[in-house]
Amino acid sequence: MTLAADERVAHVGLARRLLIRPELGAVVGLVVVFVFFASQSPVFRSLDGIANWLDPAATLGIMAVAVALLMIGGEFDLSAGVLTGTSGLILVTLATRYGLSVWLAMLVGLVVALAIGFANGLVVTRTKLPSFIVTLGTFLMLQGVNLGVTKAITGTVQVSGLRRASGFEAANAILAGTIQIGGTSFRVAILWWILVTAVATWVLMRSKAGNWIFAVGGNEQAARAVGVAAARTKIALFMTTAFAAWLVGSILALRYTSVQANIGIGQEFIYIIAAVIGGCLLTGGYGSAIGAAIGAVIFGMADKGIVFLGWNADWFKFFLGAMLLLATLANRLVRRYAEEVKH
C-alpha cells in the first residue's frame, strides 16, 4: 500500500514556487512599465531619471509596506494618509510656534501618532466594527482637527518656518537629505524605505509575529483557537501604520519646511492600491512587503514617466485605475493557482 506524501514535505519545483509568490504580478508590471518608459525617454533611464522616480516611490513605499502588513492582517486604515499630515503639522507647529527642538517635536508627533493607531486598533478589536468604518471616522476627525487647529494658531491653513528651528539641520540630513551616487543626488528617504521593507519582510517571513499576521488575516477565529493573540496583533499593525505615517510626515515636513493642513488627504487610497498591485488580497491573509514596495516603484515610474514623455498628468489617474484592475485579476489567478498547488 502506497501512502500519499504529506503536502508539507512534498517537493515543489522552482517554477511553481515562483508562480505562487504574491509579488509575481508586481514584478511583471515593474518590468513592463520600466521597458515602456525607458524605450520612450532617455531621461527616464538615466541616473538622474532613476533618482527622480525613486523619490516619490520612497515615501509612498514606506506607507505601502505598512499598509500591506495591515491588509495581510485583514484590516484597512483610511486615516493613514491624513495622519501623515497630522504628524507633519505637530512637528512644524511645536518647533516654530512653541520653541521646541525639532527632535522633541518629532517625539511628540510620534507619541500622538502611535496613540491614534492604538485607538484605531482598540476600537476595531473591541467593537468588531469594520476597520473601514472606524478609520473613516478617524480620517474625518483628523481632517477637521488639522484644519481647525492650524487656522486657530496661524490664521491660515499652513504652518511654515521649520528651517529656523533648533535641530533642523541634523534632522533634515538624517531624514530628508540627499546622498551622492555617481554624481547624482538620491534622497535619504530611499534608504529608510529599503530599511522598512527589509524589516517588514523579515517579520513576515522569519518571525512568530509574521505567522500571527497571516493567521489573523486568513481566519481570525481559527487563529484564536490555536492561541494566536489576534487582538494584540491587529492593534500592533494599526500602530505600525501610524508609525509609518509619522515617519513619512516628518520626512516631508523637514524636506519642505512647511506643511499644509490638507496634506495627505486622498493618499490612503494610493497606499492601498500599491499594496494590491504588490500582491495583497482585499480579503486578507495573503501578500508581501516586497510586493508593496515594488508597487510603489511602479507608481513612481508612472508618475514621473508621464511627465518625461510630456503627457497630460490626468493620464496618471487612468493608469492607477488600470493597474488596480489588472493587479486584482492577477492576484486572484495567482491565489487560485496557489490553492491548487496545495491540494
Side-chain angles (χ1 to χ4, degrees), residues 137-161:
T138 305
F139 163 83
L140 294 172
M141 289 188 287
L142 289 178
Q143 185 179 3
V145 168
N146 289 356
L147 288 168
V149 173
T150 303
K151 285 183 178 179
I153 294 176
T154 68
T156 68
V157 295
Q158 177 177 306
V159 187
S160 57

PDB file of all heavy atoms in Angstrom, residues 137-161:
ATOM      1  N   GLY A 137     -13.970  57.220  10.152  1.00  0.00           N
ATOM      2  CA  GLY A 137     -14.300  58.188  11.193  1.00  0.00           C
ATOM      3  C   GLY A 137     -13.071  58.922  11.689  1.00  0.00           C
ATOM      4  O   GLY A 137     -13.088  60.151  11.873  1.00  0.00           O
ATOM      5  N   THR A 138     -11.976  58.184  11.899  1.00  0.00           N
ATOM      6  CA  THR A 138     -10.722  58.811  12.324  1.00  0.00           C
ATOM      7  C   THR A 138     -10.218  59.776  11.266  1.00  0.00           C
ATOM      8  O   THR A 138      -9.727  60.876  11.581  1.00  0.00           O
ATOM      9  CB  THR A 138      -9.652  57.736  12.592  1.00  0.00           C
ATOM     10  OG1 THR A 138     -10.150  56.796  13.537  1.00  0.00           O
ATOM     11  CG2 THR A 138      -8.375  58.364  13.139  1.00  0.00           C
ATOM     12  N   PHE A 139     -10.328  59.383  10.010  1.00  0.00           N
ATOM     13  CA  PHE A 139      -9.925  60.245   8.901  1.00  0.00           C
ATOM     14  C   PHE A 139     -10.649  61.591   8.954  1.00  0.00           C
ATOM     15  O   PHE A 139     -10.034  62.662   8.860  1.00  0.00           O
ATOM     16  CB  PHE A 139     -10.216  59.528   7.576  1.00  0.00           C
ATOM     17  CG  PHE A 139     -10.239  60.425   6.370  1.00  0.00           C
ATOM     18  CD1 PHE A 139      -9.065  60.786   5.732  1.00  0.00           C
ATOM     19  CD2 PHE A 139     -11.439  60.913   5.874  1.00  0.00           C
ATOM     20  CE1 PHE A 139      -9.082  61.618   4.625  1.00  0.00           C
ATOM     21  CE2 PHE A 139     -11.468  61.739   4.773  1.00  0.00           C
ATOM     22  CZ  PHE A 139     -10.289  62.104   4.138  1.00  0.00           C
ATOM     23  N   LEU A 140     -11.968  61.542   9.121  1.00  0.00           N
ATOM     24  CA  LEU A 140     -12.753  62.776   9.138  1.00  0.00           C
ATOM     25  C   LEU A 140     -12.414  63.635  10.356  1.00  0.00           C
ATOM     26  O   LEU A 140     -12.308  64.863  10.256  1.00  0.00           O
ATOM     27  CB  LEU A 140     -14.247  62.437   9.117  1.00  0.00           C
ATOM     28  CG  LEU A 140     -14.755  61.772   7.826  1.00  0.00           C
ATOM     29  CD1 LEU A 140     -16.193  61.306   8.002  1.00  0.00           C
ATOM     30  CD2 LEU A 140     -14.636  62.723   6.646  1.00  0.00           C
ATOM     31  N   MET A 141     -12.227  62.993  11.515  1.00  0.00           N
ATOM     32  CA  MET A 141     -11.876  63.745  12.716  1.00  0.00           C
ATOM     33  C   MET A 141     -10.516  64.415  12.584  1.00  0.00           C
ATOM     34  O   MET A 141     -10.347  65.588  12.933  1.00  0.00           O
ATOM     35  CB  MET A 141     -11.913  62.826  13.935  1.00  0.00           C
ATOM     36  CG  MET A 141     -13.318  62.409  14.341  1.00  0.00           C
ATOM     37  SD  MET A 141     -13.362  61.510  15.916  1.00  0.00           S
ATOM     38  CE  MET A 141     -12.653  59.936  15.430  1.00  0.00           C
ATOM     39  N   LEU A 142      -9.534  63.681  12.071  1.00  0.00           N
ATOM     40  CA  LEU A 142      -8.199  64.255  11.901  1.00  0.00           C
ATOM     41  C   LEU A 142      -8.210  65.378  10.870  1.00  0.00           C
ATOM     42  O   LEU A 142      -7.520  66.393  11.035  1.00  0.00           O
ATOM     43  CB  LEU A 142      -7.210  63.171  11.482  1.00  0.00           C
ATOM     44  CG  LEU A 142      -6.826  62.148  12.549  1.00  0.00           C
ATOM     45  CD1 LEU A 142      -5.865  61.113  11.967  1.00  0.00           C
ATOM     46  CD2 LEU A 142      -6.188  62.826  13.758  1.00  0.00           C
ATOM     47  N   GLN A 143      -8.988  65.207   9.811  1.00  0.00           N
ATOM     48  CA  GLN A 143      -9.089  66.252   8.804  1.00  0.00           C
ATOM     49  C   GLN A 143      -9.619  67.542   9.423  1.00  0.00           C
ATOM     50  O   GLN A 143      -9.099  68.631   9.169  1.00  0.00           O
ATOM     51  CB  GLN A 143     -10.007  65.797   7.667  1.00  0.00           C
ATOM     52  CG  GLN A 143     -10.087  66.787   6.509  1.00  0.00           C
ATOM     53  CD  GLN A 143     -10.989  66.289   5.387  1.00  0.00           C
ATOM     54  OE1 GLN A 143     -11.596  65.218   5.496  1.00  0.00           O
ATOM     55  NE2 GLN A 143     -11.086  67.054   4.318  1.00  0.00           N
ATOM     56  N   GLY A 144     -10.657  67.407  10.260  1.00  0.00           N
ATOM     57  CA  GLY A 144     -11.206  68.574  10.928  1.00  0.00           C
ATOM     58  C   GLY A 144     -10.236  69.200  11.912  1.00  0.00           C
ATOM     59  O   GLY A 144     -10.098  70.429  11.969  1.00  0.00           O
ATOM     60  N   VAL A 145      -9.544  68.357  12.690  1.00  0.00           N
ATOM     61  CA  VAL A 145      -8.569  68.865  13.655  1.00  0.00           C
ATOM     62  C   VAL A 145      -7.420  69.577  12.938  1.00  0.00           C
ATOM     63  O   VAL A 145      -6.991  70.670  13.354  1.00  0.00           O
ATOM     64  CB  VAL A 145      -8.027  67.713  14.524  1.00  0.00           C
ATOM     65  CG1 VAL A 145      -6.810  68.170  15.322  1.00  0.00           C
ATOM     66  CG2 VAL A 145      -9.106  67.204  15.466  1.00  0.00           C
ATOM     67  N   ASN A 146      -6.913  68.973  11.876  1.00  0.00           N
ATOM     68  CA  ASN A 146      -5.804  69.584  11.137  1.00  0.00           C
ATOM     69  C   ASN A 146      -6.165  70.983  10.648  1.00  0.00           C
ATOM     70  O   ASN A 146      -5.393  71.941  10.806  1.00  0.00           O
ATOM     71  CB  ASN A 146      -5.415  68.713   9.949  1.00  0.00           C
ATOM     72  CG  ASN A 146      -4.716  67.436  10.365  1.00  0.00           C
ATOM     73  OD1 ASN A 146      -4.452  67.213  11.549  1.00  0.00           O
ATOM     74  ND2 ASN A 146      -4.431  66.575   9.411  1.00  0.00           N
ATOM     75  N   LEU A 147      -7.340  71.112  10.052  1.00  0.00           N
ATOM     76  CA  LEU A 147      -7.763  72.408   9.526  1.00  0.00           C
ATOM     77  C   LEU A 147      -8.105  73.388  10.647  1.00  0.00           C
ATOM     78  O   LEU A 147      -7.655  74.538  10.641  1.00  0.00           O
ATOM     79  CB  LEU A 147      -8.974  72.218   8.610  1.00  0.00           C
ATOM     80  CG  LEU A 147      -8.700  71.569   7.253  1.00  0.00           C
ATOM     81  CD1 LEU A 147     -10.005  71.161   6.578  1.00  0.00           C
ATOM     82  CD2 LEU A 147      -7.925  72.520   6.355  1.00  0.00           C
ATOM     83  N   GLY A 148      -8.881  72.909  11.622  1.00  0.00           N
ATOM     84  CA  GLY A 148      -9.333  73.793  12.686  1.00  0.00           C
ATOM     85  C   GLY A 148      -8.198  74.328  13.544  1.00  0.00           C
ATOM     86  O   GLY A 148      -8.109  75.539  13.800  1.00  0.00           O
ATOM     87  N   VAL A 149      -7.313  73.450  13.991  1.00  0.00           N
ATOM     88  CA  VAL A 149      -6.211  73.861  14.870  1.00  0.00           C
ATOM     89  C   VAL A 149      -5.214  74.744  14.110  1.00  0.00           C
ATOM     90  O   VAL A 149      -4.730  75.746  14.648  1.00  0.00           O
ATOM     91  CB  VAL A 149      -5.506  72.624  15.462  1.00  0.00           C
ATOM     92  CG1 VAL A 149      -4.254  73.040  16.237  1.00  0.00           C
ATOM     93  CG2 VAL A 149      -6.450  71.863  16.370  1.00  0.00           C
ATOM     94  N   THR A 150      -4.915  74.370  12.872  1.00  0.00           N
ATOM     95  CA  THR A 150      -3.964  75.169  12.090  1.00  0.00           C
ATOM     96  C   THR A 150      -4.491  76.580  11.877  1.00  0.00           C
ATOM     97  O   THR A 150      -3.756  77.568  12.022  1.00  0.00           O
ATOM     98  CB  THR A 150      -3.688  74.505  10.726  1.00  0.00           C
ATOM     99  OG1 THR A 150      -3.207  73.187  10.937  1.00  0.00           O
ATOM    100  CG2 THR A 150      -2.645  75.292   9.946  1.00  0.00           C
ATOM    101  N   LYS A 151      -5.767  76.713  11.531  1.00  0.00           N
ATOM    102  CA  LYS A 151      -6.347  78.042  11.350  1.00  0.00           C
ATOM    103  C   LYS A 151      -6.365  78.827  12.655  1.00  0.00           C
ATOM    104  O   LYS A 151      -6.119  80.038  12.676  1.00  0.00           O
ATOM    105  CB  LYS A 151      -7.766  77.915  10.800  1.00  0.00           C
ATOM    106  CG  LYS A 151      -7.841  77.547   9.329  1.00  0.00           C
ATOM    107  CD  LYS A 151      -9.288  77.521   8.870  1.00  0.00           C
ATOM    108  CE  LYS A 151      -9.389  77.191   7.383  1.00  0.00           C
ATOM    109  NZ  LYS A 151     -10.809  77.148   6.933  1.00  0.00           N
ATOM    110  N   ALA A 152      -6.650  78.129  13.759  1.00  0.00           N
ATOM    111  CA  ALA A 152      -6.716  78.808  15.052  1.00  0.00           C
ATOM    112  C   ALA A 152      -5.354  79.343  15.474  1.00  0.00           C
ATOM    113  O   ALA A 152      -5.252  80.420  16.074  1.00  0.00           O
ATOM    114  CB  ALA A 152      -7.254  77.850  16.114  1.00  0.00           C
ATOM    115  N   ILE A 153      -4.292  78.616  15.146  1.00  0.00           N
ATOM    116  CA  ILE A 153      -2.952  79.012  15.580  1.00  0.00           C
ATOM    117  C   ILE A 153      -2.316  80.023  14.630  1.00  0.00           C
ATOM    118  O   ILE A 153      -1.690  80.994  15.063  1.00  0.00           O
ATOM    119  CB  ILE A 153      -2.043  77.769  15.715  1.00  0.00           C
ATOM    120  CG1 ILE A 153      -2.545  76.878  16.859  1.00  0.00           C
ATOM    121  CG2 ILE A 153      -0.592  78.175  15.955  1.00  0.00           C
ATOM    122  CD1 ILE A 153      -1.775  75.587  17.010  1.00  0.00           C
ATOM    123  N   THR A 154      -2.471  79.781  13.330  1.00  0.00           N
ATOM    124  CA  THR A 154      -1.762  80.621  12.345  1.00  0.00           C
ATOM    125  C   THR A 154      -2.663  81.593  11.593  1.00  0.00           C
ATOM    126  O   THR A 154      -2.165  82.534  10.973  1.00  0.00           O
ATOM    127  CB  THR A 154      -1.060  79.733  11.305  1.00  0.00           C
ATOM    128  OG1 THR A 154      -2.044  79.065  10.501  1.00  0.00           O
ATOM    129  CG2 THR A 154      -0.174  78.704  11.976  1.00  0.00           C
ATOM    130  N   GLY A 155      -3.976  81.374  11.621  1.00  0.00           N
ATOM    131  CA  GLY A 155      -4.875  82.217  10.841  1.00  0.00           C
ATOM    132  C   GLY A 155      -4.943  81.812   9.386  1.00  0.00           C
ATOM    133  O   GLY A 155      -5.692  82.394   8.601  1.00  0.00           O
ATOM    134  N   THR A 156      -4.159  80.800   9.010  1.00  0.00           N
ATOM    135  CA  THR A 156      -4.151  80.282   7.643  1.00  0.00           C
ATOM    136  C   THR A 156      -4.235  78.759   7.702  1.00  0.00           C
ATOM    137  O   THR A 156      -4.411  78.181   8.766  1.00  0.00           O
ATOM    138  CB  THR A 156      -2.871  80.701   6.884  1.00  0.00           C
ATOM    139  OG1 THR A 156      -1.737  80.029   7.481  1.00  0.00           O
ATOM    140  CG2 THR A 156      -2.645  82.205   6.964  1.00  0.00           C
ATOM    141  N   VAL A 157      -4.080  78.123   6.545  1.00  0.00           N
ATOM    142  CA  VAL A 157      -4.103  76.655   6.503  1.00  0.00           C
ATOM    143  C   VAL A 157      -2.695  76.093   6.333  1.00  0.00           C
ATOM    144  O   VAL A 157      -2.527  74.940   5.945  1.00  0.00           O
ATOM    145  CB  VAL A 157      -5.007  76.150   5.363  1.00  0.00           C
ATOM    146  CG1 VAL A 157      -6.451  76.528   5.628  1.00  0.00           C
ATOM    147  CG2 VAL A 157      -4.546  76.690   4.008  1.00  0.00           C
ATOM    148  N   GLN A 158      -1.686  76.864   6.678  1.00  0.00           N
ATOM    149  CA  GLN A 158      -0.293  76.427   6.506  1.00  0.00           C
ATOM    150  C   GLN A 158       0.552  76.852   7.688  1.00  0.00           C
ATOM    151  O   GLN A 158       0.348  77.926   8.257  1.00  0.00           O
ATOM    152  CB  GLN A 158       0.283  77.022   5.215  1.00  0.00           C
ATOM    153  CG  GLN A 158       1.758  76.688   4.994  1.00  0.00           C
ATOM    154  CD  GLN A 158       2.271  77.227   3.665  1.00  0.00           C
ATOM    155  OE1 GLN A 158       1.712  76.964   2.624  1.00  0.00           O
ATOM    156  NE2 GLN A 158       3.352  77.985   3.715  1.00  0.00           N
ATOM    157  N   VAL A 159       1.498  75.987   8.055  1.00  0.00           N
ATOM    158  CA  VAL A 159       2.491  76.312   9.079  1.00  0.00           C
ATOM    159  C   VAL A 159       3.857  76.226   8.420  1.00  0.00           C
ATOM    160  O   VAL A 159       4.160  75.235   7.750  1.00  0.00           O
ATOM    161  CB  VAL A 159       2.432  75.341  10.275  1.00  0.00           C
ATOM    162  CG1 VAL A 159       3.361  75.824  11.385  1.00  0.00           C
ATOM    163  CG2 VAL A 159       1.021  75.197  10.792  1.00  0.00           C
ATOM    164  N   SER A 160       4.694  77.229   8.601  1.00  0.00           N
ATOM    165  CA  SER A 160       5.997  77.249   7.928  1.00  0.00           C
ATOM    166  C   SER A 160       7.077  77.771   8.868  1.00  0.00           C
ATOM    167  O   SER A 160       6.809  78.145  10.008  1.00  0.00           O
ATOM    168  CB  SER A 160       5.927  78.120   6.667  1.00  0.00           C
ATOM    169  OG  SER A 160       5.516  79.434   6.989  1.00  0.00           O
ATOM    170  N   GLY A 161       8.312  77.796   8.359  1.00  0.00           N
ATOM    171  CA  GLY A 161       9.431  78.340   9.124  1.00  0.00           C
ATOM    172  C   GLY A 161      10.260  77.311   9.865  1.00  0.00           C
ATOM    173  O   GLY A 161      11.045  77.658  10.752  1.00  0.00           O
TER     174      GLY A 161
END
